[in-house]
Amino acid sequence: QVQLVESGGGSVQPGGSLGLSCAASNVPYIIGVMGYYRQPPGGRRELVAIITAGGTTSYKASVRGRFAISGGNPLNTVELQMNDLRPEDTATYYCRIANPDGQFVAWGQGIQVTVSS
């Protein structure tokens, strides 16, 4: 079965940096897109950053310029570098993969990021 192993995260003060990593295994299809979503306390899950197998990236507007996503070739690993973190970035971050048609979605277990002074 598909496995997404997430690492990184943790707690940091505002303005600090953290990194997240995700590695996919046992995936019975070509991964077309890989990235991170997040769910803040009491909020809805939202897209943070994704990267396609072709290297195209997309970011939530509020993180553009602060976060950077990169992926392996082939696309079965992804890293998210988060700089200049803000309290509103506090959330559980989830790794997500899908095939090139956006189907066969799989999620990681989630990892906590807390930004607080």
Side-chain angles (χ1 to χ4, degrees), residues 2-90:
V2 173
Q3 290 187 320
L4 297 179
V5 178
E6 301 182 38
S7 60
S11 297
V12 68
Q13 293 185 340
S17 299
L18 287 173
L20 300 177
S21 297
C22 179
S25 60
N26 298 327
V27 182
Y29 53 81
I30 293 173
I31 298 173
V33 60
M34 194 168 182
Y36 282 94
Y37 287 62
R38 70 187 182 189
Q39 187 165 10
R44 304 179 67 174
R45 195 169 296 190
E46 58 187 13
L47 182 148
V48 176
I50 56 172
I51 185 168
T52 70
T56 301
T57 58
S58 181
Y59 295 91
K60 178 179 173 62
S62 65
V63 308
R64 195 173 296 123
R66 300 188 295 124
F67 291 13
I69 191 167
S70 60
N73 186 16
L75 188 60
N76 54 22
T77 59
V78 67
E79 295 187 354
L80 182 67
Q81 178 63 37
M82 305 181 290
N83 299 320
D84 190 22
L85 282 159
R86 304 168 181 171
E88 54 264 38
D89 296 317
T90 295

